[in-house]
């Protein structure tokens, strides 16, 4: 009947919204991404689970996932499309919603806690902090042809830069921010697999970022707040 675009949060099932947990617990079918796997245990035992993680080297493309959702939605079942973090933050949830609406399928979005804010919290980093940063920019580090981020402007803007999908291009990102005016000594923090049992936090200076080993998925925090290590989100999974 309805396709629910549900945000799974950063990983710890405890960080699902109450609404997401309720909808997930009565789903007929769950179509999930790799980053949403940790919360799958909340799906009912009889639910059909479809793994469309695009990074497993299998044949799922965004177009085939969208087509699958349209087909399932037309079959009259309650479908949960489970995405890591928030479905509308670099999650292609908007594209899926557009396709479902165009096909006449009922669709609803359930926001999730984005890694953009929860990964820094898991490392004890407030993304804004009086006297250090009054602005936060969330940006993708995954470059696409013709879709170039203006790192010079970002560097001049100041504040905290949160980079998702930036591990692979971290050397270029650091170079561009420094070229744009950020000081090489600006702190960075990289939070890998935030709120999961594999969580690690790596800290350093921006001019060291390119040479620092960091495993994906990770959220990069660049700016003065990255040196803070205050009260952190103590994940039940990570603790
Ligand atoms: C395709 S984007 C999806 C973002 C997601 N919609 C959100 O709101 O968190 C995937 C990127 O999010 C970040 N990410 C997702 N889960 C994470 C986690 N548990 N720890 C750290 N970073 C994470 C990483 O930068 C990863 O490459």
């Amino acid at each position: 009947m309805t396709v629910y675009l549900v945000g799974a949060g950063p990983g710890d099932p405890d960080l699902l919204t109450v609404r997401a947990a309720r909808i997930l617990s009565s789903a007929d079918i769950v179509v999930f991404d790799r980053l949403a796997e940790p919360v799958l245990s909340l799906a009912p035992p009889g639910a059909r689970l479809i793994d469309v993680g695009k990074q497993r080297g299998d044949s799922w493309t965004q177009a085939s996932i969208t087509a699958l959702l349209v087909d399932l939605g037309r079959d009259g079942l309650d479908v949960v499309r489970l995405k890591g973090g928030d479905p509308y933050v670099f999650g292609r949830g908007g594209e899926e919603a557009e396709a479902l609406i165009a096909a006449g399928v009922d669709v609803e979005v359930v926001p999730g806690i984005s890694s953009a804010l929860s990964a820094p919290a898991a490392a004890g980093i407030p993304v804004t902090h009086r006297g250090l940063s009054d602005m936060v920019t969330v940006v993708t580090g995954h470059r696409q042809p013709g879709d170039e981020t203006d790192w010079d402007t970002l560097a001049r803007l100041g504040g905290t830069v949160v980079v998702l999908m930036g591990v692979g291009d971290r050397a270029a990102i650091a170079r561009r921010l420094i070229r744009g005016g950020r000081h090489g000594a600006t702190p960075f923090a990289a939070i890998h697999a935030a709120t999961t049992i594999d969580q690690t936090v790596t800290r350093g200076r921006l001019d060291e970022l390119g040479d620092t080993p960091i495993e994906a998925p990770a959220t990069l925090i660049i700016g003065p707040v990255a040196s803070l290590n205050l009260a952190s989100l103590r994940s039940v999974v990570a603790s």
Side-chain angles (χ1 to χ4, degrees), residues 9-11 35 83-91 112-116 119 163-167 191-196 216-220:
L35 289 172
K83 289 171 167 289
D86 182 276
Y88 281 176
V89 177
F90 296 123
I113 300 181
S114 177
S115 56
V163 189
L164 302 185
M165 295 174 279
V167 172
I191 304 102
H192 162 71
T195 82
T196 76
T219 293
L220 307 178

Side-chain angles (χ1 to χ4, degrees), residues 41-126:
S41 55
L42 293 170
R48 186 174 152 211
L49 306 180
I50 305 177
D51 176 357
V52 294
K54 281 175 274 179
Q55 291 173 26
R56 290 192 200 281
D58 53 21
S59 57
W60 289 103
T61 60
Q62 186 58 47
S64 61
I65 294 169
T66 305
L68 170 73
L69 292 175
V70 168
D71 284 348
L72 293 173
R74 283 183 171 149
D75 284 346
L77 298 168
D78 276 336
V79 180
V80 167
R81 169 66 173 117
L82 193 60
K83 289 171 167 289
D86 182 276
Y88 281 176
V89 177
F90 296 123
R92 307 194 73 168
E95 291 162 60
E96 293 175 8
E98 275 177 345
L100 289 160
I101 292 164
V105 175
D106 192 28
V107 56
E108 185 181 320
V109 67
V110 180
I113 300 181
S114 177
S115 56
L117 301 179
S118 54
I125 298 171

Side-chain angles (χ1 to χ4, degrees), residues 20-237:
R22 180 170 54 74
I23 290 172
L24 183 56
S25 67
S26 62
D28 298 314
I29 302 183
V30 182
V31 179
F32 67 96
D33 286 338
R34 188 180 48 98
L35 289 172
E37 258 183 61
V39 306
L40 277 182
S41 55
L42 293 170
R48 186 174 152 211
L49 306 180
I50 305 177
D51 176 357
V52 294
K54 281 175 274 179
Q55 291 173 26
R56 290 192 200 281
D58 53 21
S59 57
W60 289 103
T61 60
Q62 186 58 47
S64 61
I65 294 169
T66 305
L68 170 73
L69 292 175
V70 168
D71 284 348
L72 293 173
R74 283 183 171 149
D75 284 346
L77 298 168
D78 276 336
V79 180
V80 167
R81 169 66 173 117
L82 193 60
K83 289 171 167 289
D86 182 276
Y88 281 176
V89 177
F90 296 123
R92 307 194 73 168
E95 291 162 60
E96 293 175 8
E98 275 177 345
L100 289 160
I101 292 164
V105 175
D106 192 28
V107 56
E108 185 181 320
V109 67
V110 180
I113 300 181
S114 177
S115 56
L117 301 179
S118 54
I125 298 171
V127 288
T128 64
H129 192 71
R130 191 173 286 264
L132 284 185
S133 169
D134 59 4
M135 188 188 331
V136 54
T137 309
V138 180
V139 63
T140 173
H142 181 66
R143 283 179 295 159
Q144 291 181 357
D147 195 12
E148 191 72 9
T149 303
D150 185 349
W151 294 97
D152 286 343
T153 301
L154 256 185
R156 280 197 302 276
L157 263 181
T160 307
V161 180
V162 176
V163 189
L164 302 185
M165 295 174 279
V167 172
D169 265 331
R170 63 190 182 284
I173 290 167
R175 244 190 341 266
R176 284 166 185 202
L177 286 174
I178 292 170
R179 200 176 59 201
R182 285 290 176 115
H183 200 281
T186 303
F188 82 83
I191 304 102
H192 162 71
T195 82
T196 76
I197 198 127
D198 298 320
Q199 175 176 311
T200 58
V201 180
T202 308
R203 296 175 192 261
R205 294 164 43 124
L206 187 56
D207 56 9
E208 301 163 346
L209 176 59
D211 293 326
T212 305
I214 299 169
E215 196 185 336
T219 293
L220 307 178
I221 314 297
I222 298 163
V225 294
S227 64
L228 297 177
N229 187 0
L230 306 176
S232 61
L233 163 70
R234 287 205 196 112
S235 161
V236 290
V237 173

